[in-house]
Amino acid sequence: MSFSILGTGKAVPDYILTNDELATIVETNDEWIRTRTGIEERRICKDETITELCVKAAKEALDDAGITAEQLDLIICSTMRGENLTPSQGCMIQKEIGAKCPAFDLNAACSGFIYALDVADGYFVRKKVKYVLVVSMDNLSNITNWKDRSTCVLFGDGGAAAVLGEGDDLLAIHLTAAGNDEVLRIPHGENSSPFYEHKPEPALLQMMGNDVYKFAVTAMPEGIRTVVEEAGLQQSDVNWVIPHQANIRIINTAAAKLDIPRERFFCNINHYGNTSSGSVPIALHEASQAGLLKKGDIIALCAFGGGLTTGSCIIRWCK
Ligand code: COA
């Protein structure tokens, strides 16, 4: 016995940064960004804090699941950088929604939502929990290098939440990590110690885009193949793939390597860009809200990101 997804919720900032506005900040243009990435606009935090967004997504997911914050047994927040180093973002969510359960953060970059599902699975298997809240939220605009046109056009802020309850709808899950701080890295940025001898680098995202691209177009189909097989299914059984929204060309290339029709890959990258760990659950929530997911549908979730990490799973939709 593991879990079923009982409810989802989403929160993105109000401010829409279009490609045309970005072209006033760095030397780029709408045509380059659209054709190379599929992104048309992204959301950027102005007055919203990451805690406010987490709480909004969490409350929507609780309402959707029909349970209260007091019923939660665990909160996991996947994020690369919460409001504070401590308390954790999970504890901030717990405080603001009025839950009483343990709460913590998990960082697996863009694969964070699927890593969090895997951790939650362990709690269900050990029968420690009845209801778990997973919130995946990142605020990458804080650590974007707004002078680097090869990265600042790619990312956006936002995330989503899912309420998990006892059930048997997680059919397979597979995580990987291949430690690599060369192709994608965000340094801490500061060190207050007068004794430390290394010069801190600014907390800005650094990425070798082509290397990440090559990694992703292999890792994504591999991850999906693995979990389809572990679940005892055929690729043709998959009704929807909810892929990490990093680049539409990565999704197209991954789709072409699989026996799953391209129309079954849900995409909303045009509106949000890459929201890191928020990306997969935002897409899951929007696919659900659009009425695309039917009870009993087989859904493959798949993500890759800094670490380098990947996460893939097969879920049967139970709503
Ligand atoms: N606007 C206009 N030109 C740009 C640009 C921008 N925003 N960014 C880069 N360019 C230029 C480059 O300077 C280069 O010019 P040059 O040929 O004169 O040197 C040219 O466009 C091509 O650059 P290249 O890096 O080869 O582009 P690409 O087609 O490989 O696309 C990425 C670059 C970043 C979009 C692509 O590699 C990618 O999506 N990688 C994966 C990134 C990712 O998913 N990261 C998140 C992981 S979770």
Side-chain angles (χ1 to χ4, degrees):
M1 173 73 81
S2 181
F3 65 76
S4 300
I5 296 184
L6 306 182
T8 58
K10 168 190 105 176
V12 294
D14 290 335
Y15 185 68
I16 299 174
L17 176 61
T18 62
N19 290 346
D20 285 336
E21 187 178 353
L22 252 179
T24 66
I25 302 172
V26 284
E27 197 182 330
T28 189
N29 57 75
D30 176 57
E31 203 259 333
W32 192 97
I33 303 171
R34 268 176 208 258
T35 54
R36 300 294 177 113
T37 71
I39 301 166
E40 294 166 21
E41 59 192 26
R42 67 288 291 142
R43 301 299 182 102
I44 300 292
C45 286
K46 279 195 158 180
D47 60 346
E48 302 95 345
T49 66
I50 188 168
T51 301
E52 286 165 352
L53 293 177
C54 286
V55 168
K56 186 171 177 219
K59 286 185 172 168
E60 190 179 348
L62 287 167
D63 283 351
D64 192 34
I67 70 152
T68 62
E70 293 77 32
Q71 289 176 271
L72 290 171
D73 300 304
L74 180 69
I75 297 171
I76 306 173
C77 181
S78 76
T79 186
M80 284 196 277
R81 197 161 105 149
E83 194 98 39
N84 307 290
L85 278 175
T86 193
S88 70
Q89 196 56 36
C91 285
M92 293 299 290
I93 297 166
Q94 191 247 34
K95 169 181 177 243
E96 296 297 328
I97 66 175
K100 305 276 180 277
C101 58
F104 63 88
D105 289 357
L106 171 162
N107 176 358
C110 305
S111 310
F113 182 66
I114 299 168
Y115 264 68
L117 294 185
D118 192 52
V119 172
D121 179 41
Y123 280 82
F124 281 104
V125 169
R126 288 192 292 134
K127 302 192 187 313
K128 298 274 284 185
V129 293
K130 277 191 166 25
Y131 296 109
V132 175
L133 172 69
V134 173
V135 182
S136 295
M137 188 68 66
D138 274 306
N139 185 351
L140 292 184
S141 60
N142 280 343
I143 40 80
T144 293
N145 181 350
W146 289 98
K147 293 187 175 137
D148 175 10
R149 68 177 182 171
S150 69
T151 55
C152 74
V153 302
L154 302 175
F155 299 99
D157 298 337
V163 172
L164 317 178
E166 286 174 311
D168 55 5
D169 292 313
L170 175 69
L171 306 186
I173 191 157
H174 180 69
L175 310 180
T176 71
N180 182 322
D181 59 356
E182 285 167 14
V183 302
L184 185 47
R185 189 164 82 94
I186 307 166
H188 261 304
E190 53 198 45
N191 185 327
S192 67
S193 168
F195 306 103
Y196 194 59
E197 291 177 359
H198 298 275
K199 189 168 177 284
E201 286 178 78
L204 294 174
L205 188 146
Q206 307 165 9
M207 185 180 71
M208 292 160 71
N210 288 330
D211 290 286
V212 178
Y213 192 98
K214 282 185 218 147
F215 170 72
V217 294
T218 303
M220 233 179 189
E222 255 177 34
I224 293 174
R225 268 187 225 112
T226 303
V227 287
V228 165
E229 200 181 312
E230 268 178 26
L233 298 169
Q234 304 295 319
Q235 290 181 30
S236 55
D237 296 324
V238 175
N239 300 101
W240 286 101
V241 178
I242 308 284
H244 177 40
Q245 311 284 315
N247 185 322
I248 198 75
R249 292 188 296 141
I250 293 176
I251 296 172
N252 292 341
T253 308
K257 292 182 175 181
L258 292 162
D259 297 323
I260 305 173
R262 172 63 179 82
E263 316 79 81
R264 296 190 196 167
F265 286 69
F266 182 84
C267 293
N268 60 2
I269 188 171
N270 52 328
H271 291 308
Y272 302 114
N274 180 347
T275 53
S276 187
S277 72
S279 150
V280 167
I282 290 177
L284 181 69
H285 174 76
E286 291 201 340
S288 164
Q289 292 294 296
L292 298 174
L293 312 180
K294 305 280 179 269
K295 194 174 166 75
D297 272 0
I298 298 295
I299 303 172
L301 310 182
C302 185
F304 61 88
L308 295 166
T309 57
T310 74
S312 311
C313 67
I314 300 284
I315 280 167
R316 190 172 40 221
W317 197 243
C318 74
K319 286 168 64 65

